[in-house]
Amino acid sequence: MQRIASPDNGAITGYEIMARRGASAADVAAAAEMAIEAAFYEDGDQSVGSAAAVTLAERYPVVFDWLKTHDVNARVILAVMMAVVLFNMASAMLIMVLDRTGMIGVLKAMGMRNGAVRRIFLYRAAMLFVRGAAWGNAVGLALVGLQAWLAPVKLDPEGYMLSELPVRIDVWWLAALNAGAVAVTVAVMTLPSMIVARISPESSLKYRQ
C-alpha cells in the first residue's frame, strides 16, 4: 500500500493518533494541527503542504451520525422504562396506603405524626424497589456476560459493520444509574404517600370495624 500510494518508498502518508479515554478528539486534532504548522509551515517548508489533522468523525461522518441515532434510541427506551417504573411504584404506594387504612388510624390514634407514618410506607416501597432492581440487575448482567462470553446475538456486517453485538460493563455508570433510579422513584412516591395526611383516625377505625 505504501509503494502504491507514496511518491517514493520513504514517504509516509499518515499517522494514526490514539487519544486517551475521555479526551476530546477535536482538542487532540487542534493540538496536532498546531504542531504541524510549527514544524513545517513557519520555516517556509511547503513539502508537506497537504498535511492536516483530521478526526475520525470528520473523515467518516455517516458512521458517527448512525451511532448518534442509536444513542437517541437508547435514551428514548430508558425514558419509557423509567416512566413505567414510576407509574407502577406510585400505584403500589397507593395500594399499600389504602390497604393499611386501619393501621394508619391506629398509629395516628396512638400519637404518631403524618411524617412518621409516611416514612414507614416510603421505606417499605423503597425496599420493594431495591428488591426488584436487584433481580433486574442480576438478569441484565447475566445476559451481558453471556453475550460477552458466547456472543449468541449476531449482527449483519453489511448493515452494522460488526458481526457480533458488542457489550461492555461500566461499573460506575451502572452504580450511578441504580442510585439515580432509586432516588427519583422514592422522590416521586412522596406524592401518593401524602394521602396519609388525609386519613383521620376516627374514619379509618370505623372503616376497620
Side-chain angles (χ1 to χ4, degrees):
M1 180 59 68
Q2 186 180 25
R3 186 175 67 253
I4 297 174
S6 301
D8 56 71
N9 293 335
I12 297 174
T13 56
Y15 287 100
E16 181 178 349
I17 301 176
M18 301 295 293
R20 293 180 180 177
R21 183 177 179 183
S24 173
D27 294 341
V28 175
E33 192 73 31
M34 293 178 62
I36 292 173
E37 293 179 358
F40 299 104
Y41 298 152
E42 289 183 357
D43 297 333
D45 185 359
Q46 301 296 326
S47 60
V48 287
S50 60
V54 182
T55 63
L56 284 178
E58 293 173 345
R59 291 191 64 183
Y60 308 106
V62 176
V63 176
F64 283 85
D65 291 340
W66 176 76
L67 292 175
K68 290 179 181 178
T69 302
H70 284 269
D71 291 339
V72 172
N73 294 339
R75 293 190 185 97
V76 171
I77 292 173
L78 288 176
V80 171
M81 292 175 62
M82 197 65 194
V84 173
V85 168
L86 294 177
F87 179 80
N88 289 337
M89 291 304 300
S91 301
M93 172 64 75
L94 288 174
I95 292 173
M96 285 192 298
V97 171
L98 295 177
D99 186 56
R100 298 291 182 176
T101 303
M103 184 192 75
I104 295 173
V106 173
L107 293 176
K108 284 190 174 184
M110 295 175 63
M112 183 173 286
R113 296 182 179 274
N114 290 326
V117 178
R118 287 174 57 192
R119 284 194 294 272
I120 293 175
F121 288 96
L122 287 174
Y123 175 78
R124 178 59 179 170
M127 290 299 100
L128 290 176
F129 179 82
V130 169
R131 185 186 304 173
W135 277 104
N137 280 278
V139 174
L141 292 174
L143 293 175
V144 170
L146 180 64
Q147 177 64 24
W149 183 32
L150 300 177
V153 180
K154 305 295 182 181
L155 298 176
D156 184 7
E158 295 183 358
Y160 291 93
M161 293 171 286
L162 295 169
S163 59
E164 298 175 354
L165 178 66
V167 293
R168 180 173 62 89
I169 299 176
D170 192 334
V171 178
W172 293 109
W173 190 87
L174 182 64
L177 179 63
N178 281 276
V182 172
V184 172
T185 304
V186 173
V188 171
M189 284 189 298
T190 57
L191 296 176
S193 67
M194 290 180 180
I195 195 175
V196 171
R198 302 178 63 88
I199 299 177
S200 60
E202 58 273 13
S203 61
S204 62
L205 292 177
K206 291 179 181 179
Y207 171 77
R208 186 180 182 184
Q209 293 177 355

